Amino acid sequence: MYRIGELSKACDVKADTLRFYEKHGLLSPSMRTEAGYRMYTESDAERLRFILRAKAVGFTLAEITELLSIELDKSNWACADVKGMVDIKLEHVEEKIAELNYFRESLQRLSDACCGGPESAEHCSILEALESNSAEVKCENHTHQHTQTEYKASCKVKG
Amino acid sequence: MYRIGELSKACDVKADTLRFYEKHGLLSPSMRTEAGYRMYTESDAERLRFILRAKAVGFTLAEITELLSIELDKSNWACADVKGMVDIKLEHVEEKIAELNYFRESLQRLSDACCGGPESAEHCSILEALESNSAEVKCENHTHQHTQTEYKASCKVKG
DNA sequence: CTTGACCTTAGATTTAACTCCAAGGTTTAT
DNA sequence: ATAAACCTTGGAGTTAAATCTAAGGTCAAG
Ligand SMILES: [Zn+2]
Ligand SMILES: [Zn+2]
Ligand SMILES: [Zn+2]
Ligand SMILES: [Zn+2]
């Protein structure tokens, strides 16, 4: 039996978070002391660990609520249901990754086009790319006093 | 000169969003009519396009505010400053991608281990993995009436 | 018998970026 | 002249997942 502070320390969650999970129906302590203190059993702790593992895998609390309801009533669900949830989540994660990859590529193009030197940003190709309507990112045409080897190598489109 | 609805249509943003950007100091119309209507100039429109392009690349509005302040005062900034911002953003995006890739792999492992068939979820390997303390995901050991070719192929760890 | 650590509750605040609402004023077209 | 379409403002609501606050009750040690 754990008090809220003990369980919270044991699982590296804030006590507030446990109260929050209780309010949202994810995890209620099996007992209370006379004084009203929450007492969590070992099986409550297991349920919390289930929640934290699912969270670590990327499920939202709403999805975890659904998983828990299946967990408690396994025999009325099929593998297809469970796998379906995982596969939908997988799709969402893959979409988010694709979007971020697009960001990454755009940022990399911007970064590559800028010398990053001490020169004034008046002709900085990053700012010029954000000002212009085209997706093209041009190289800088201000003079570069500093060594240019890396810059030259990465710059593809002359400005 | 555009009224708010015109600019909003031209740039495919809600009028509310333009008011929101004004309230947060990103974009104020250069004029107002006597009746108080916002009137955006072409240069206001350009600024908006700058904002939208930066957003499309993944910058937050706070970061865009910073970029805009550099934009308006280019000569007092160096390429190093601008490139620094892009590179920091790039790092954050890469971290987020790494995190999501980790989610993706975990979900893929879970998905692969489950037959996805009509069998009861009582021995579903997804639920068992979430119940167990180890990161290992085991294959299902219930009997599978349906064809198992795909399932067998993807399952690595026997349960 | 009091200090300090711990616990209780309801409710407010945080973050980001909008989005919506109500109540009213303006423009434009018929 | 009147309806439709547009604009104004301030303020509230949305989403997710906590996190914090205030005001107070409980418990063990010294
Ligand atoms: Zn340069
Ligand atoms: Zn530059
Ligand atoms: Zn199966
Ligand atoms: Zn299964």
Side-chain angles (χ1 to χ4, degrees):
Chain A
M1 297 285 256
Y2 311 86
R3 294 201 308 191
I4 195 170
E6 290 165 347
L7 183 59
S8 107
K9 246 167 234 151
C11 291
D12 200 25
V13 204
K14 292 240 164 71
D16 270 335
T17 302
L18 295 180
R19 293 194 197 96
F20 174 82
Y21 287 171
E22 180 173 352
K23 190 157 60 183
H24 289 75
L26 279 100
L27 175 69
S28 298
S30 298
M31 311 183 47
R32 294 273 187 143
T33 65
E34 283 184 13
Y37 282 26
R38 290 169 178 81
M39 294 304 287
Y40 295 91
T41 64
E42 186 51 46
S43 113
D44 295 333
E46 265 167 36
R47 189 177 165 107
L48 175 58
R49 280 180 225 114
F50 182 102
I51 292 169
L52 297 179
R53 262 176 244 121
K55 224 165 75 69
V57 164
F59 285 102
T60 64
L61 297 190
E63 289 162 340
I64 294 171
T65 301
E66 216 176 332
L67 276 174
L68 284 166
S69 79
I70 294 179
E71 243 296 301
L72 281 184
D73 188 27
K74 284 184 185 188
S75 52
N76 279 318
W77 296 84
C79 270
D81 300 318
V82 182
K83 183 166 179 155
M85 287 191 61
V86 170
D87 285 348
I88 285 171
K89 190 70 201 173
L90 192 51
E91 262 176 51
H92 291 164
V93 168
E94 280 168 352
E95 280 164 19
K96 192 72 198 165
I97 288 173
E99 188 191 354
L100 285 174
N101 271 326
Y102 182 75
F103 288 167
R104 188 179 51 69
E105 282 160 23
S106 308
L107 286 167
Q108 190 67 64
R109 258 195 304 279
L110 288 176
S111 179
D112 286 350
C114 173
C115 64
E119 288 88 353
S120 154
E122 250 167 320
H123 300 285
C124 178
S125 50
I126 292 175
L127 296 177
E128 285 177 358
L130 291 170
E131 285 156 25
S132 94
N133 285 311
S134 100
E136 194 183 49
V137 181
K138 293 184 177 175
C139 267
E140 284 163 3
N141 59 9
H142 54 198
T143 54
H144 293 86
Q145 260 99 42
H146 56 98
T147 60
Q148 296 185 42
T149 28
E150 278 178 39
Y151 176 52
K152 271 185 181 163
S154 61
C155 196
K156 303 290 187 299
V157 186
K158 286 292 156 206
Chain B
M1 298 284 256
Y2 312 86
R3 295 203 308 194
I4 195 168
E6 289 166 347
L7 183 59
S8 106
K9 247 169 231 149
C11 291
D12 201 25
V13 205
K14 294 238 162 73
D16 268 337
T17 303
L18 296 180
R19 292 193 198 96
F20 174 81
Y21 285 171
E22 181 173 350
K23 191 155 61 184
H24 289 74
L26 280 100
L27 175 68
S28 297
S30 299
M31 310 184 45
R32 292 277 186 141
T33 66
E34 283 182 13
Y37 282 26
R38 291 169 178 81
M39 294 304 287
Y40 295 90
T41 64
E42 186 51 48
S43 112
D44 294 333
E46 266 168 35
R47 189 178 165 107
L48 175 58
R49 281 181 225 113
F50 183 102
I51 292 168
L52 297 178
R53 263 177 241 118
K55 225 165 73 69
V57 163
F59 285 102
T60 65
L61 297 191
E63 290 160 341
I64 294 171
T65 302
E66 218 175 331
L67 276 174
L68 284 167
S69 78
I70 294 179
E71 243 295 302
L72 282 185
D73 188 28
K74 284 183 183 187
S75 52
N76 278 318
W77 296 86
C79 271
D81 300 318
V82 182
K83 184 166 177 153
M85 285 191 62
V86 170
D87 285 348
I88 284 170
K89 189 71 198 174
L90 193 50
E91 259 178 52
H92 291 163
V93 169
E94 280 169 352
E95 280 165 19
K96 192 72 196 165
I97 289 174
E99 189 192 350
L100 284 174
N101 271 327
Y102 182 74
F103 287 168
R104 188 180 51 69
E105 282 161 23
S106 307
L107 286 167
Q108 191 66 65
R109 256 195 305 278
L110 287 176
S111 179
D112 286 350
C114 174
C115 65
E119 289 87 353
S120 153
E122 252 168 320
H123 301 285
C124 177
S125 50
I126 293 175
L127 296 176
E128 285 178 357
L130 291 171
E131 286 157 25
S132 92
N133 284 310
S134 100
E136 194 182 49
V137 181
K138 294 185 177 176
C139 267
E140 284 164 2
N141 60 9
H142 54 197
T143 54
H144 293 87
Q145 260 99 44
H146 56 99
T147 60
Q148 295 186 42
T149 28
E150 278 179 37
Y151 177 55
K152 270 184 178 164
S154 60
C155 197
K156 303 290 187 299
V157 186
K158 288 290 157 207

